[in-house]
């Protein structure tokens, strides 16, 4: 498993150190990284050896083939220099990209002749040439045409590099890969990407993603490539503006996690335990400082939760209703602060879930617990949230850590369960968080969305298991600059499912904890969706938001922000609606800001 240094931020040594620490076997050295390095090629070679990294590829060599004689002579001189550098590095494979030079000509025979000549020179230095069709190549832009040229060139030191972005961004037929002999398939470069309608060069340079973070069928590509008999490196080459600024140690871990997840999806044996079935959210733990504890408790009481347990050794209270459980931890947040400190999921095999998480590089969190208390496996998710895997229905499980308070939950629960947990991420964490929950939990991504919110464009991606028992909704501000920001930075919320949304809204209003929605929203709703008058009246009277699609309807309401950043949502799903009311997000955000400003006044 390899990674191109272009994927990571920092100096060449920063990148090599991060790649080795994450667990990669090898690297592609991006030429500009070497040019900017203070170390000699010999020192870089020794550093890689010390780190246990092979140098699998040196790249890129551009604009070589099918050019006029003066340019060819200059290109061969340039190539000789690169071959000598590669000998010093200990690298034996050079990536040659199809030409974009304005003076190149559309002549496959000439291109093959030039590549044969280059391969002859390379062989003298013990170097092989991997020819790659750039999706924006001037004349050669598809892998099947690149393969025709390689066949015509007919040199043992010349083969192909297949790059998933260049192939899948053009919608090329992957089945044609099967005709390439394995000895001519020199290298695979893997990158995902979102589906975008834009110039392919800009798409490639700024918007590639690690496998599993985009929309390409990388698993299908990898299966097809491996069917040829290819046994070389699986290497990531991802150009991404965020990754190139992020901590390389974090990005490298995300990268390796993505590659492990891709191999699993493609049916390659990775020794990953299969994700056990998830049966719902066991509990959500909210850290609430002393100033916020009363606010959170008041909202839970208003929603019908009972404070049914107190932890035997920690300042943690258990609140429950139906199968919805909230732990409020007064020690997990600063004064006045609130945060979703942990999410616990019901796993049919918690140890296997924990082993999978560890194999996918999730940091194991040390947990202090007294004798006789449950020892729950905990791992760290991006963004500071902890994740637990547990079983609530077993004896001596986590609930045994709580002494009953004598205030059991009412049998006629208004709220049924946790519908979803929504976590706003910082820009650097968003794609990594999506990858984490997708691979570690085994969740499937749902349709991504973009919302023009009051404080800038918001991206969102939700993931769920097949039965929709566990839903995680992630969002991020696409750009955040300067000091102007909403009153609630990086909000988080827990959504509860109910069968009577109006009753829940009335309880919140009676407690002064219902987020008010402006009349303009209901006038627009009437114009857009024309709900029946009685339905519209119910929505307006109870400050309910509404959405619908071809499968069903969605009604929801909110509390104000409790403490610094957490709030609750109550949702009612009718029919087969599986979304989250995304069109209503800007209205909710504006309402929360008004409420915050009013409370501060």
């Amino acid at each position: 498993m390899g990674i191109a240094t272009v994927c990571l931020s920092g100096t060449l040594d920063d990148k090599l150190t991060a790649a080795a620490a994450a667990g990669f076997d090898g690297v592609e050295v991006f030429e500009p990284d070497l040019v900017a390095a203070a170390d000699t090629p010999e020192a870089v070679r020794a550093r890689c050896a010390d780190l246990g990294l092979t140098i699998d590829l040196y790249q890129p060599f551009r604009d070589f083939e099918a050019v006029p004689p003066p340019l060819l002579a200059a290109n061969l001189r340039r190539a000789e220099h690169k071959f000598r550098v590669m000998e010093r590095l200990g690298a034996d494979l050079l990536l040659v990209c199809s030409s974009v030079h304005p003076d190149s000509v559309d002549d496959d025979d000439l291109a093959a002749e030039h590549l044969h000549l280059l391969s002859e020179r390379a062989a003298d230095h013990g170097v092989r040439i991997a020819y790659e069709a750039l999706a924006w190549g001037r004349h050669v832009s598809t892998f099947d045409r690149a393969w025709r040229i390689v066949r015509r060139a007919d040199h043992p030191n010349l083969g192909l590099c297949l790059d998933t972005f260049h192939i899948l961004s053009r919608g090329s037929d992957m089945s044609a890969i099967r005709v390439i002999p394995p000895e001519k398939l020199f290298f695979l470069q893997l990158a995902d990407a979102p589906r975008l309608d834009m110039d392919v060069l800009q798409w490639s340079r700024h918007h590639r993603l690690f496998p599993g973070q985009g929309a390409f069928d990388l698993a299908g590509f990898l299966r097809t490539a491996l069917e040829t008999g290819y046994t070389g490196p699986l290497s990531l080459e991802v150009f991404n503006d965020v990754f190139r600024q992020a901590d390389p140690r974090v990005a490298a871990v995300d990268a390796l996690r993505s590659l492990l997840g891709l191999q699993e999806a493609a049916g390659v044996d990775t020794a990953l335990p299969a994700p056990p079935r998830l049966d719902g959210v066991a509990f959500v733990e909210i850290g609430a400082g002393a100033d916020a504890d009363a606010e959170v408790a008041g909202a839970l009481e208003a929603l019908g939760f009972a404070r049914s347990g107190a932890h035997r050794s920690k300042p943690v209270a258990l609140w429950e209703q139906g199968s919805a459980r909230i732990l409020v931890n007064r020690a997990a947040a600063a004064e006045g602060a609130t945060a979703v400190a942990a999410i616990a999921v019901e796993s049919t095999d918690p140890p296997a879930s924990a082993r999978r998480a560890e194999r996918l590089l999730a940091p194991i969190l040390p947990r202090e617990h007294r004798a006789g208390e449950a020892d729950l496996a905990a791992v760290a998710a991006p963004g500071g949230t902890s994740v637990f895997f547990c079983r609530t229905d077993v004896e001596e499980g986590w609930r045994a850590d709580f002494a009953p308070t004598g205030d059991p939950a009412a049998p006629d629960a208004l709220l049924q369960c946790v519908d979803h947990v929504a976590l706003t991420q910082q820009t650097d964490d968003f794609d990594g968080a999506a990858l984490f929950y997708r691979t570690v939990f085994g969740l499937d991504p749902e349709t991504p969305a973009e919302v023009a919110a009051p404080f800038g464009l918001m991206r969102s991606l939700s993931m769920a298991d097949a039965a929709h028992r566990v839903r995680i909704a992630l969002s991020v501000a696409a750009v955040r600059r300067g000091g102007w920001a909403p009153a609630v930075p990086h909000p988080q919320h827990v959504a509860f499912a109910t069968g009577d949304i109006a009753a829940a809204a009335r309880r919140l209003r009676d407690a002064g904890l219902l987020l008010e929605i402006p009349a303009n929203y209901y006038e627009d709703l009437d114009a857009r969706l024309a709900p029946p008058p009685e339905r519209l009246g119910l929505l307006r009277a109870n400050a309910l938001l509404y959405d619908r699609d071809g499968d069903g309807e969605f009604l929801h309401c909110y509390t104000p922000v409790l403490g610094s950043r957490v709030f609750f949502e109550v949702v009612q799903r009718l029919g087969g609606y599986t979304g989250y009311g995304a069109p209503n997000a800007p209205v909710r955000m504006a309402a929360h800001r008004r409420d915050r400003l009013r409370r501060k006044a």
Side-chain angles (χ1 to χ4, degrees):
M1 295 184 290
I3 186 169
T5 58
V6 74
C7 299
L8 303 173
S9 180
T11 65
L12 180 56
D13 192 64
D14 293 328
K15 297 166 186 252
L16 298 177
T17 302
F24 280 98
D25 305 305
V27 292
E28 305 174 34
V29 174
F30 189 55
E31 183 178 71
D33 289 330
L34 180 65
V35 170
D39 290 334
T40 64
E42 291 85 356
V44 172
R45 177 179 186 170
R47 176 63 173 154
C48 286
D50 289 343
L51 292 170
L53 294 171
T54 57
I55 299 178
D56 301 325
L57 185 75
Y58 188 62
Q59 63 119 330
F61 191 74
R62 301 184 186 278
D63 295 334
F64 174 78
E65 79 283 9
V67 294
L71 276 178
L72 177 63
N75 284 345
L76 288 171
R77 178 183 178 278
R78 182 164 55 98
E80 287 287 346
H81 175 79
K82 300 308 175 188
F83 295 151
R84 290 192 294 272
V85 169
M86 291 176 66
E87 286 182 298
R88 297 167 66 192
L89 272 176
D92 67 354
L93 187 61
L94 176 66
L95 178 70
V96 175
C97 304
S98 62
S99 181
V100 297
H101 197 283
D103 292 334
S104 64
V105 296
D106 190 5
D107 186 333
D108 286 2
D109 289 331
L110 184 61
E113 178 186 328
H114 288 177
L115 287 171
H116 183 96
L117 179 59
L118 180 67
S119 301
E120 284 286 314
R121 302 283 184 93
D124 292 339
H125 296 270
V127 170
R128 297 177 302 147
I129 302 298
Y131 184 52
E132 173 187 65
L134 296 178
W136 54 89
R138 181 170 174 81
H139 304 296
V140 180
S141 58
T142 62
F143 78 90
D144 50 343
R145 186 170 183 185
W147 169 230
R148 288 199 301 271
I149 293 171
V150 166
R151 279 190 303 172
R152 291 184 190 185
D154 190 24
H155 194 285
N157 280 50
L158 178 65
L160 280 182
C161 172
L162 298 185
D163 182 310
T164 58
F165 182 85
H166 297 304
I167 294 171
L168 300 179
S169 66
R170 296 182 60 89
S172 298
D173 180 7
M174 292 188 294
S175 65
I177 294 171
R178 295 189 176 95
V179 305
I180 302 170
E183 66 272 14
K184 283 298 184 181
L185 187 49
F186 282 4
F187 206 75
L188 293 183
Q189 289 179 322
L190 306 167
D192 209 337
R195 288 289 178 190
L196 298 173
D197 185 11
M198 67 184 304
D199 175 76
V200 69
L201 176 58
Q202 295 303 310
W203 187 10
S204 171
R205 285 288 179 263
H206 303 284
H207 301 287
R208 294 196 196 192
L209 295 167
F210 293 132
Q213 295 178 331
F216 287 169
D217 179 17
L218 293 193
F221 171 91
L222 183 55
R223 281 193 295 270
T224 302
L226 294 179
E227 286 169 4
T228 68
Y230 175 78
T231 57
L234 303 180
S235 189
L236 301 172
E237 189 200 39
V238 173
F239 297 83
N240 183 288
D241 295 342
V242 173
F243 300 168
R244 289 296 301 273
Q245 296 183 54
D247 184 332
R249 296 165 298 182
V250 175
V253 168
D254 286 345
L256 190 62
R257 181 179 292 141
S258 77
L259 199 46
L260 290 168
L262 171 60
Q263 291 179 80
E264 179 184 52
V268 178
D269 182 16
T270 61
L272 275 177
R277 190 185 76 241
L278 304 180
D279 288 333
V281 175
F283 62 81
V284 179
E285 180 178 336
I286 296 174
D291 294 346
D293 181 55
E295 286 188 63
V296 174
L300 292 171
E301 286 179 348
L303 287 168
F305 281 83
R307 186 177 178 276
S308 59
H311 199 278
R312 299 180 189 278
S313 63
K314 300 173 184 175
V316 179
L318 167 61
W319 295 78
E320 59 184 328
Q321 178 179 188
S323 62
R325 304 176 195 91
I326 300 292
L327 305 187
V328 180
N329 188 339
R330 296 190 299 281
E335 293 297 306
T338 51
V340 174
I343 302 170
V345 293
E346 300 276 8
S347 168
T348 52
D349 188 345
S353 291
R355 288 194 300 272
R356 177 181 176 83
E358 188 172 10
R359 182 73 179 84
L360 285 164
L361 311 179
I364 303 298
L365 296 174
R367 294 188 66 248
E368 293 184 5
H369 62 283
R370 294 183 178 180
E373 293 182 351
D375 183 14
L376 300 182
V379 298
T385 302
S386 301
V387 170
F388 297 96
F389 303 102
C390 62
R391 292 279 300 274
T392 301
D393 60 352
V394 296
E395 248 185 279
E396 304 303 320
W398 66 270
R399 291 190 62 164
D401 293 351
F402 290 83
T405 61
D407 185 15
D412 53 342
L414 176 62
L415 306 183
Q416 300 156 348
C417 62
V418 172
D419 183 87
H420 64 274
V421 180
L423 305 171
T424 303
Q425 304 294 305
Q426 298 192 48
T427 302
D428 288 359
D429 294 335
F430 179 76
D431 290 312
L435 179 68
F436 175 89
Y437 288 109
R438 180 175 183 175
T439 56
V440 173
F441 280 29
L443 304 181
D444 296 318
E446 299 176 317
T447 303
E450 290 187 348
V451 173
F455 304 100
L457 188 69
M458 297 291 296
R459 295 170 55 205
S460 66
L461 177 66
S462 302
M463 289 151 289
D465 67 309
H468 288 92
R469 294 189 181 96
V470 175
R471 294 181 172 102
I472 304 291
L474 302 176
S475 60
V476 65
V479 178
R480 175 67 70 217
R481 295 289 184 269
W484 168 245
V488 187
H490 308 302
Q492 304 171 319
H493 74 267
V494 182
F496 304 110
T498 184
D500 190 346
I501 187 75
R506 286 192 294 269
R507 293 190 66 155
L508 288 175
R509 173 164 282 156
D510 289 345
L513 288 170
L514 180 65
L515 185 68
E516 294 297 339
I517 303 301
N520 291 340
Y521 169 78
Y522 298 101
E523 293 181 10
D524 176 71
L525 186 65
D526 190 17
R528 286 189 299 114
L529 299 181
E534 63 276 10
R535 172 61 58 83
L536 183 63
L538 176 75
L539 300 172
R540 191 192 302 267
N542 294 286
L544 300 177
L545 297 159
Y546 177 82
D547 190 33
R548 73 180 182 214
D549 59 20
D551 297 315
E553 300 172 282
F554 186 67
L555 291 78
H556 54 140
C557 63
Y558 297 92
T559 70
V561 175
L562 310 167
S564 58
R565 60 190 293 213
V566 173
F567 56 93
F568 295 133
E569 178 185 14
V570 182
V571 309
Q572 184 171 2
R573 298 177 182 274
L574 302 173
Y577 185 99
T578 58
Y580 301 85
N584 298 323
V587 178
R588 187 267 300 164
M589 292 177 193
H592 268 142
R593 177 166 174 80
R594 282 192 302 273
D595 183 78
R596 292 289 272 185
L597 294 176
R598 178 182 63 81
R599 290 170 184 266
K600 288 181 178 180

